[in-house]
Structure formats: structure tokens, C-alpha cells
Amino acid sequence: MIIVDSHLDLAWNALQWNRDLLIPTLTVRTNEARLSGGGRGRTTVGIPELRRGRIAVSIATLLARSTGRVDHHIDYGSWQQAHAVAWGQLAYYRALERDGVLRVITGAAALDDHVRAWREWEAQSDNVDDAPPLGVVISMEGADPIGEPAELEEWHELGLRLLGLTHYGPGRYAGGTGTELGLSERGVEILGEMERLGVPLDLTHCSDRAFREAIDRHGGPVLASHNNCRALVPHQRQFSDDQLRAIIERNGVIGAALDAWMLQPGWVIGKSDNKSVTLETVADHIDHVCQLAGDARHAAIGSDLDGGFGGEQSPSDLDTIEDLQKLAPILSRRGYSDEDVAAIMHGNWLRFLGEVLA
């Protein structure tokens, strides 16, 4: 079964973490064996594993913050630095596209052609070396690299198709995770530009206040690319049932993230082990969204694998991103129909992206 994963920080890993995504993860792990820090030597995502896992489409990010809280390789002292970093990440995707590794998808017709090519390959071959290129829809995780709202049009012309206003901390456009800040004046303006250009709003990482202000002001499509359920893990980073219902009511989709501390209550980064966190735990969050919605049309996968962590902070029964395939039989055993499983694994995101890219 093909998979759509709505959140992968591919370019950030390649450039800011200096990982060659074209080589197998085992080789990357070996190269990082002497490096310290969370995630080093435990990578789970590479191009070979994406192909073997049949991740036909992913939402791939541009990620660079400028919050005033400088942090090596992610949070920069000025928006101009963040701007340049995001440009470099975009150039990385285009370089992979030039070499036939990726296909940057910017329209509904291109998405249809891409998925058709993958289905035709599936019907004819099991050899992943013959599979079509990986499809990516480019999103910006936190709008800090955009100098002023009017510049969004330039980014859109370059291929940006989704936008999250903020990340961790006090973003330039909205308060993010760990704050109670709302929209800035700049944030209010960019929502208008997003509506004009047809750019969907990714509400992931919004503070509670920013979430409400943004969803009330934005009349266009909304999503949560990588978000879990506060009812299961009580932390501000997760969304409450009311927030999840607000996205569902707008026909949005919520991608379940595989970060262990977002999956299990009380899990502590750097202290807890992941033995009790499995893909069944991921299915709990998917199931919660489905129960709120009353159907399986709004739950999906937004793994965030290698989003600043590695195997030590991922489900224990996942070695690489290939193992996302294990979710399908888990959902089937829980009573989900084949149609519903396919919707969660790829169909819901394909429907959403097809509509917003049209």
C-alpha cells in the first residue's frame, strides 16, 4: 500500500544535520557513531527507506526559526538568516528533483499523474529500484523566513504550497509551542495573503490563543500536519478535542506524529526509554481522531520522523520509516475496513491535497 506522510524535515536533516539522504540509514548511523546528542546515530529516514516503504508522497518542510532564542542550526539571530537557510533547503529539493530523485508537486494534475505512476508501478513490479521518483509537496514549518507577508507570493511562485505560522517559541507571525502568544500584526496580514493565494494553513505548533485567532480569521483550508491528541497526552503541543473538532468541521486532516513524548503521557525526553511506545500507541491517537469525527476521513500519518530525534524517541517496533507499513494491519485488527485503512494511510491526504492544489 502506498503511504502519504504529511511531515518530513528532509532538507533540514540533509543540510542542518549534514546527512546524505541518498545513502542507506545504516550507513548514516555508522557515520554518526562518534557524534553525541539525541538522534545521532539513530536516523530512521533516507531516500532508500522511503522508496522501500512506498512513501509515494510526503509533505516536506522548509524549517528555520528566528524567535530571539538562538539555537544552533534551527533558530537564527535574524529573519534574514532564517530566510537564507530556507532558500537553501528549497534549493536542495530542486537539486534532488533535477537528478530524478524527487518530484516537486505544485498542482492537482501533477499529483494525479504522480499517484497514477506509482499505482501502475505497483501493479507491474515489486522492484523499488524501478519505482517512480518520490513526490513532495513543499511546506514551511513556521513563517519566520518570510520577511513580510507580501513576500509569500514569491515563495508560492517558487513552489511553496502549505504554510504553518509558527514552530517552537515566540514566532514572528504567531505564538508557538511553549507560549500563550496570539497572532502578531504580521500574522494577521499573512493570513489574508494565504487566502488570496490559496495556501492552506497548517495549525500545528500554534499556541492555544494563536490557534483560535488563526482559525477564526482564516477562511481557507486548514490542516494539522503532525499533531496528536491532548486527551491522551496532556500537553500544550497536542490539540484538545475542541481544536481537533474545529479542524474536522473545516474538512481538514490531522496527521499522527511518531515522537514518543507526544504519544505517551509522562514520557520524558532523554530519560524515558521507548519500550512501551509502539505503533499501537500511534493507532490510539489515530483512533481518537476517528471517534471524534465519526468516520475515518480526517485521520492520517504525519510522522515527523527524524524531526530532531531518532530511533531512541520513535516507536520501539519501528526501525526505519519503512515500518510505517505496519500500521495498516494494526488498524485492520482494530476493526477498520480496508477502505478506511487506505484512507488513513494515503487517501485522506490525497483528497485534501488534490482539493487545495486544484
Side-chain angles (χ1 to χ4, degrees), residues 12 56 61 79 97 155 180 187-188 191 193 217 233 286 291 314 329 356-357:
W12 183 63
T61 67
W79 79 263
E97 182 177 45
W155 284 98
E180 285 306 324
V188 173
L191 287 176
E193 285 296 292
R217 286 180 176 271
V233 179
I286 291 172
Q291 298 306 320
S314 303
V356 301
L357 293 176

Side-chain angles (χ1 to χ4, degrees), residues 125-167:
S125 174
D126 285 330
N127 184 357
V128 293
D129 293 332
D130 296 332
L134 302 167
V136 298
V137 179
I138 296 177
S139 177
M140 187 178 287
E141 186 176 18
D144 288 357
I146 301 173
E148 295 298 333
E151 294 175 18
L152 179 60
E153 184 167 8
E154 180 181 3
W155 284 98
H156 187 262
E157 290 173 354
L158 292 167
L160 182 69
R161 287 297 179 268
L162 301 101
L163 180 64
L165 296 182
T166 189
H167 193 230

Side-chain angles (χ1 to χ4, degrees), residues 256-319:
L258 272 66
D259 194 336
W261 78 269
M262 293 174 58
L263 290 167
Q264 186 176 82
W267 204 94
V268 180
I269 296 173
K271 295 183 179 180
S272 303
D273 65 48
N274 64 348
K275 292 178 181 178
S276 61
V277 181
T278 68
L279 290 167
E280 291 278 0
T281 322
V282 179
D284 291 341
H285 288 263
I286 291 172
D287 186 62
H288 188 80
V289 171
C290 292
Q291 298 306 320
L292 286 176
D295 57 42
R297 289 177 53 81
H298 303 277
I301 298 170
S303 74
D304 198 18
L305 288 171
D306 287 356
F309 62 96
E312 79 290 347
Q313 201 170 309
S314 303
S316 57
D317 51 351
L318 181 141
D319 181 48

